């Protein structure tokens, strides 16, 4: 059987802090906050995989409902 691993995944959301907190509370993920190019960013590390949480709240094309 094949074994799959992931270096990173992208999670697009209008609430990066809420999503990071969910990963932390639900799975025990490590929350990582940085300031690339002076803009706040929140990501998580879960089981060796980086989850890049990308804020789409300012994007009018981002869906408001699933």
């Amino acid at each position: 059987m094949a074994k799959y691993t992931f270096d990173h995944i992208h999670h697009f959301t209008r609430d990066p802090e809420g999503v990071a907190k969910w990963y932390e509370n639900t799975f025990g993920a490590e929350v990582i906050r940085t300031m690339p190019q002076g803009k706040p960013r929140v990501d998580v590390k879960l089981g060796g995989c980086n989850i890049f949480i990308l804020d789409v709240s300012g994007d009018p094309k981002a869906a408001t409902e699933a």
Side-chain angles (χ1 to χ4, degrees), residues 33-49:
R33 290 180 178 81
T34 58
M35 290 288 286
Q37 287 106 26
K39 296 166 77 175
R41 178 175 170 146
V42 60
D43 298 313
V44 296
K45 184 173 276 292
L46 177 61
C49 179

Side-chain angles (χ1 to χ4, degrees), residues 4-31:
Y4 296 94
T5 60
F6 298 91
D7 174 68
H8 71 276
I9 61 172
H10 293 246
H11 187 135
F12 296 88
T13 181
R14 292 179 176 274
D15 182 11
E17 285 292 337
V19 167
K21 192 70 167 169
W22 182 83
Y23 278 109
E24 181 179 42
N25 292 340
T26 304
F27 300 112
E30 174 189 2
V31 177

